[in-house]
Amino acid sequence: MCARYAKLFACTRIPFSGEDCHLVSPKSTHIVVMRGSHLYEMKVLLPNGSVLPESKFRDAFAGIISGKFRDSESAEGTFLENGNVPLGCFTAAGRPQWCEWRSRLEDVSARNRVSLQSIETALFTLSLDTVQPADRSHEMEVLLHGCHISDTDVVTSVEPRWHDKSIHIAIFPNGDGGLNFEHSPFDGATVVRMADEVYLRAVRRPTGRGELRNFRDASTKQLKSIAWSPRPLHFDETPQVVAALSTACRDLHVLATSNSTRLLHFEKFGKDSLKQLKCSPDGVIQAAIQLAYHRIHSNVHTGQWQYASAYESCSTKRYLWGRTEAIRPVTSKSTVSRPVVL
């Protein structure tokens, strides 16, 4: 039952030629915080199991936003650290291309290898975004790929994301936030469970589940014994690396603008109303997806019907050797009903 959570934190998908692999770092005690093109390693867990107090997180994030923790090298004006292209753009590239670029980045210097290792062994990455999205739909869009897109489909700025990390958290300037995750180590249900637990415990509401281990805040004495302040991560660059990152950023722009993300907040009725009608809420949603696809892509006048290739997940992971199966909701009866509804 707990195997699916083993790669939830401190896990990174590493690109290799032919096949990627998961790097899992169970002894990790730090996170990596991103702000624009700047990256910082921040220790959050102590050897005795205590965690950095909330006040220290606040101080650290405020300092990163103000530039307090930048050092002399951060001010040298290199493209990788002071340009407007976050290094994480590399991770949005195709896997063979990112594999090649990652090797080039490592070959530049030992410092690059150390900084890359810090990112890839971190518990998770977190970005403190610089631009506030205009609305909820834009928030969803920026959470997905980091790009702010204008109404004319032009990318105006890019926030840092590290798409190889199992968990990446993004915080907007107004305090809203969310996360995206690398799908290959686990299913979405695993992340939803984690996010649900975090939210309910943060607002002190019952989770309906067993209690988790309570982490102790580190004492003042313990904090004096470790370097908890964010430490800048630096990368050395070459013209080839700069050119590769510029290419990765342009490719990300194309990929981001080819996607359209809109948030639908439906409030007319919910699952309770559907249950009173003896209807399955999930079944209604599946029918609505098929009907919407049918309306967009079919021609009622010519009788040319287009049917959605839809499916819904079915988790059997509570059982031994369970996995995520797929239920096929497109049936002969559902295809017959759609022209009738139209």
Side-chain angles (χ1 to χ4, degrees):
M1 182 68 178
C2 295
R4 57 178 160 162
Y5 298 105
K7 296 181 179 180
L8 187 56
F9 297 106
C11 176
T12 304
R13 178 176 174 174
I14 306 296
F16 282 101
S17 178
E19 183 178 13
D20 290 0
C21 76
H22 293 138
L23 172 66
V24 183
S25 308
K27 296 184 179 180
S28 178
T29 58
H30 71 279
I31 65 173
V32 168
V33 183
M34 305 175 177
R35 172 76 171 178
S37 297
H38 298 278
L39 299 94
Y40 302 86
E41 179 183 296
M42 181 176 168
K43 194 174 186 66
V44 296
L45 292 178
L46 276 66
N48 66 350
S50 58
V51 65
L52 201 65
E54 181 182 330
S55 60
K56 296 301 182 184
F57 277 99
R58 263 198 317 269
D59 293 345
F61 293 163
I64 288 173
I65 291 173
S66 68
K68 173 184 176 181
F69 297 110
R70 295 185 192 178
D71 54 22
S72 58
E73 292 189 72
S74 301
E76 288 180 355
T78 61
F79 180 81
L80 293 187
E81 295 193 26
N82 286 300
N84 58 1
V85 182
L87 194 68
C89 289
F90 275 138
T91 63
R95 305 310 290 177
Q97 187 66 76
W98 172 215
C99 176
E100 178 186 340
W101 287 338
R102 183 177 177 276
S103 296
R104 290 184 189 178
L105 190 63
E106 285 189 311
D107 290 343
V108 171
S109 67
R111 182 162 70 167
N112 282 11
R113 292 190 290 275
V114 170
S115 294
L116 198 57
Q117 183 184 47
S118 176
I119 299 170
E120 293 175 344
T121 60
L123 291 164
F124 56 87
T125 50
L126 182 147
S127 56
L128 300 170
D129 289 3
T130 57
V131 180
Q132 178 61 42
D135 52 39
R136 287 292 189 184
S137 287
H138 284 96
E139 284 187 357
M140 300 301 104
E141 202 165 48
V142 176
L143 284 172
L144 177 64
H145 45 60
C147 294
H148 293 274
I149 303 174
S150 70
D151 293 337
T152 56
D153 281 342
V154 175
V155 175
T156 56
S157 62
V158 181
E159 303 288 2
R161 302 286 183 266
W162 202 269
H163 296 287
D164 289 350
K165 289 301 292 183
S166 54
I167 296 291
H168 179 95
I169 299 172
I171 307 297
F172 301 125
N174 69 351
D176 286 349
L179 57 86
N180 62 28
F181 64 95
E182 164 55 41
H183 207 318
S184 60
F186 38 67
D187 295 318
T190 304
V191 182
V192 170
R193 165 72 187 273
M194 182 273 292
D196 186 46
E197 290 271 355
V198 170
Y199 170 73
L200 290 175
R201 293 178 187 278
V203 297
R204 292 177 170 79
R205 286 170 55 186
T207 64
R209 305 183 180 101
E211 286 298 317
L212 298 178
R213 171 190 172 189
N214 290 319
F215 287 97
R216 304 182 306 278
D217 282 353
S219 66
T220 303
K221 182 179 179 180
Q222 291 169 337
L223 290 174
K224 289 181 178 179
S225 66
I226 65 165
W228 66 267
S229 296
R231 178 179 66 86
L233 297 177
H234 296 295
F235 285 88
D236 298 314
E237 63 186 47
T238 64
Q240 291 78 15
V241 169
V242 171
L245 184 57
S246 298
T247 299
C249 186
R250 288 195 298 270
D251 291 346
L252 175 58
H253 288 190
V254 174
L255 181 62
T257 54
S258 69
N259 286 271
S260 178
T261 306
R262 294 294 180 268
L263 176 67
L264 173 62
H265 193 185
F266 187 82
E267 296 181 301
K268 291 184 178 180
F269 58 85
K271 64 180 181 180
D272 291 338
S273 299
L274 295 174
K275 289 179 178 179
Q276 290 175 3
L277 296 172
K278 307 298 183 182
C279 292
S280 163
D282 185 64
V284 171
I285 291 297
Q286 290 296 327
I289 291 173
Q290 294 180 47
L291 180 59
Y293 187 93
H294 198 54
R295 282 178 168 173
I296 293 171
H297 298 287
S298 296
N299 190 318
V300 180
H301 302 291
T302 63
Q304 294 178 329
W305 310 113
Q306 296 292 326
Y307 302 111
S309 178
Y311 88 99
E312 59 177 313
S313 64
C314 173
S315 178
T316 59
K317 287 192 173 181
R318 68 176 60 218
Y319 304 106
L320 185 63
W321 309 119
R323 49 171 280 172
T324 298
E325 304 290 349
I327 299 174
R328 303 294 175 181
V330 181
T331 65
S332 57
K333 290 184 178 179
S334 71
T335 57
V336 169
S337 67
R338 269 171 271 159
V340 174
V341 175
L342 290 175

